[in-house]
Amino acid sequence: RVRVLVGGEALPSDLADRLTTTAASVVNVYGPTETTIWSTAAHPLTPGDAVTIGRPLDNTQVYVLDQHLQPVPAG
């Protein structure tokens, strides 16, 4: 069974469900283009999980901002 890394675009819930029922593991990774690397990871996903951008990778901090550039609450 394959291990899947998904990144670059938002992961739709229906696709996440299909992947998690067929793959050994599915990791949703995210990072803005400016970082040129993933900044967060959510894993392992299981069928029916909400798809999030996950938690910051080791030794990093992530700030998610709203349309007014104010921090949004976790989740």
Side-chain angles (χ1 to χ4, degrees):
R1 296 186 22 129
V2 299
R3 294 178 185 199
V4 178
L5 297 175
V6 181
E9 295 294 330
L11 176 59
S13 296
D14 61 329
L15 178 56
D17 286 343
R18 286 187 303 197
L19 289 171
T20 56
T21 59
T22 58
S25 68
V26 178
V27 177
N28 189 40
V29 291
Y30 169 82
T33 303
E34 295 80 8
T35 66
T36 68
I37 193 164
W38 299 320
S39 301
T40 67
H43 61 85
L45 297 176
T46 58
D49 280 353
V51 179
T52 70
I53 64 169
R55 303 177 78 69
L57 300 178
D58 290 344
N59 300 314
T60 66
Q61 286 187 303
V62 174
Y63 299 93
V64 179
L65 308 177
D66 66 15
Q67 66 271 23
H68 306 290
L69 300 179
Q70 297 300 309
V72 298

